Amino acid sequence: MGWSWHANPALWPLARELAKAKEARQAANSLATTEQDTIAEIRRKTAASNADNLDRTSAYLTFFHKHPEVHWSLLAHLVSRNAGWSMTDLRGELLPQLLPAKVQHDYFAFLERGNWLIFHDAYPQLLLYEESVKRQTNLFHLLPELEVSVFMQAVWNHFWKTGDSKLLSIGLIVNEQHYLQTHMLGDEAYQNTVVKTLPFALQEVLRLNLILFPYRAAGQEDGALRLAGEPVFHFASLAERIELGKRLYSLLFCDNEIKEGAIAWASHKPHTGSRKDFWPHLFHDLRETAPGKPYQKKLASCQLLPGARRLYSPALRQAWKPVRHEPPTAVDWYPATKGVVHKLVLSRDQPAFSRAEDAYCQALEKIERAVLAKAKLLGS
């Protein structure tokens, strides 16, 4: 399958795990009653925590606190916070003045479905690992019953033997992006309503899509939060999304100050979906400007102009109602995919923004200028 195993001997054990996992699936036997009960309980817990973005985001962090060796769960928590912020931006102060109501809803449906799908696939894996730790026995032969790819069965078996947190994290990044590609981004309906639309391209051009990791530097408990992060370009590209995930992992786990600061902040600041969570000096979850009043310039160098009110950034449950999702068809992406294993190595490229405050300020001011330009055009 063109894997280039010989170029990286460190991955040879994983090659053997993949071969064994494929053979085990072909010779699968019926489950014992206790195993059936385990699967049913994992499905129940997953459904209970997959009601909306707030529940998913909280579940990831709770799991990380219990199992910090599973680095990916912290990364998933922080990225899921960003998904929530993107959802509420669509009902906040600025974007609704640029995007029609249908486009707002299409964007939300796109973000919500992706957030739901990744949790639907990944959280049962985390719970099965937790059960394996509890029983002190490898239970990953049950992953097929949870419709998890054979690729991840091999990765989890490798992790169980080696404790390689980095490879597990990259494996989960690769798996979840392939899963998203198979069950959503390959869907022509999403391509036409979101991915190929002009507003989606506009957001990329304006660098509005930044994934941000708020953190407080050691000894700066009373100071302003710092922001680490990465811009999101070419979201429709599977390869680009995987590389983005790897860069975000490097940003978070290769810099101890960012990692510890992000854990401390996230642990003490519950996720609401409002950007007030990290920048209350600019955002508020209550609308401070009278509705219907023409928008006036508010921002200069990430500070409010004298007399200006904060930008409205609602909490998620103020902005959107819960969505009922249909489960995806059971399809394993791995057998039809070539060249996967070489993606399990971190690239040497350094993250773009270990300090992302300026980049995010510029994004806010660009979208504000677009709002003001549109108002001027309509008023002329």
Side-chain angles (χ1 to χ4, degrees):
M1 297 184 71
W3 288 342
S4 299
W5 290 109
H6 301 290
N8 196 333
L11 296 177
W12 291 351
L14 182 58
R16 291 190 289 271
E17 291 295 344
L18 277 165
K20 287 193 292 185
K22 291 170 71 175
E23 291 173 3
R25 293 215 175 182
Q26 293 170 358
N29 297 316
S30 58
L31 297 182
T33 301
T34 55
E35 293 178 327
Q36 292 174 358
D37 291 344
T38 297
I39 293 298
E41 181 65 6
I42 286 174
R43 285 176 173 160
R44 185 194 67 77
K45 288 181 177 179
T46 299
S49 295
N50 205 4
D52 65 10
N53 171 263
L54 301 192
D55 287 339
R56 294 166 208 138
T57 307
S58 175
Y60 285 136
L61 185 61
T62 298
F63 181 88
F64 176 75
H65 282 311
K66 291 189 287 185
H67 302 285
E69 69 276 14
V70 183
H71 294 174
W72 182 86
S73 54
L74 176 63
L75 178 63
H77 167 77
L78 293 170
V79 172
S80 190
R81 280 193 184 242
N82 280 266
W85 295 331
S86 294
M87 291 173 187
T88 59
D89 285 347
L90 295 166
R91 292 290 173 87
E93 182 121 10
L94 296 175
L95 287 185
Q97 302 191 58
L98 295 176
L99 302 178
K102 182 181 184 305
V103 174
Q104 294 171 38
H105 186 272
D106 287 344
Y107 264 105
F108 169 72
F110 175 80
L111 293 165
E112 165 66 15
R113 181 64 173 173
N115 198 231
W116 185 91
L117 277 170
I118 287 177
F119 191 89
H120 176 76
D121 182 67
Y123 197 61
Q125 299 178 50
L126 303 184
L127 293 180
L128 191 60
Y129 169 72
E130 184 170 69
E131 190 66 19
S132 296
V133 171
K134 179 180 175 183
R135 299 189 197 177
Q136 297 185 326
T137 188
N138 182 333
L139 297 174
F140 301 125
H141 63 281
L142 298 180
L143 285 172
E145 301 300 321
L146 295 164
E147 299 175 357
V148 174
S149 173
V150 66
F151 174 78
M152 283 312 302
Q153 188 174 349
V155 171
W156 278 109
N157 281 331
H158 182 75
F159 175 69
W160 187 257
K161 293 176 180 179
T162 66
D164 189 340
S165 296
K166 181 170 71 173
L167 192 142
L168 173 64
S169 298
I170 302 171
L172 281 161
I173 289 166
V174 170
N175 179 70
E176 298 316 324
Q177 292 308 324
H178 275 280
Y179 187 83
L180 204 62
Q181 189 73 22
T182 299
H183 294 290
M184 181 177 149
L185 287 167
D187 188 322
E188 188 174 348
Y190 283 107
Q191 289 283 332
N192 291 333
T193 58
V194 178
V195 179
K196 294 180 180 177
T197 61
L198 179 61
F200 191 93
L202 178 67
Q203 285 210 1
E204 291 204 297
V205 169
L206 297 182
R207 288 197 174 192
L208 296 180
N209 289 329
L210 266 75
I211 295 180
L212 301 173
F213 297 163
Y215 71 101
R216 209 177 290 282
Q220 299 290 323
E221 286 74 15
D222 297 327
L225 276 175
R226 294 180 181 178
L227 301 177
E230 272 274 339
V232 179
F233 295 125
H234 310 301
F235 189 83
S237 165
L238 170 62
E240 289 289 340
R241 293 197 312 275
I242 290 173
E243 288 305 310
L244 172 64
K246 289 156 67 173
R247 290 196 302 273
L248 289 169
Y249 174 77
S250 291
L251 177 62
L252 186 58
F253 281 92
C254 294
D255 187 318
N256 197 58
E257 181 179 56
I258 293 175
K259 181 188 74 172
E260 295 302 326
I263 292 171
W265 175 78
S267 301
H268 292 92
K269 178 60 68 174
H271 175 55
T272 71
S274 171
R275 291 190 185 268
K276 176 187 174 184
D277 289 352
F278 67 91
W279 268 6
H281 68 290
L282 283 189
F283 297 99
H284 201 285
D285 55 4
L286 299 176
R287 194 181 291 276
E288 296 185 326
T289 304
K293 184 179 179 180
Y295 184 84
Q296 301 292 319
K297 181 174 173 58
K298 297 185 176 196
L299 303 174
S301 301
C302 257
Q303 298 296 323
L304 290 172
L305 294 170
R309 301 288 186 177
R310 286 173 291 182
L311 294 166
Y312 176 52
S313 178
L316 183 85
R317 289 170 182 164
Q318 292 175 254
W320 298 103
K321 295 179 181 179
V323 175
R324 185 180 180 278
H325 292 268
E326 292 297 325
T329 304
V331 176
D332 187 348
W333 60 267
Y334 177 74
T337 307
K338 296 182 179 180
V340 175
V341 175
H342 74 274
K343 299 176 184 177
L344 293 171
V345 179
L346 281 177
S347 62
R348 295 181 181 180
D349 296 336
Q350 294 300 311
F353 300 124
S354 58
R355 295 292 301 273
E357 296 90 346
D358 289 345
Y360 184 56
C361 290
Q362 291 168 17
L364 279 177
E365 292 184 20
K366 284 181 180 179
I367 191 64
E368 184 185 55
R369 286 198 294 272
V371 168
L372 292 169
K374 181 179 180 182
K376 183 177 180 179
L377 182 65
L378 293 177
S380 61

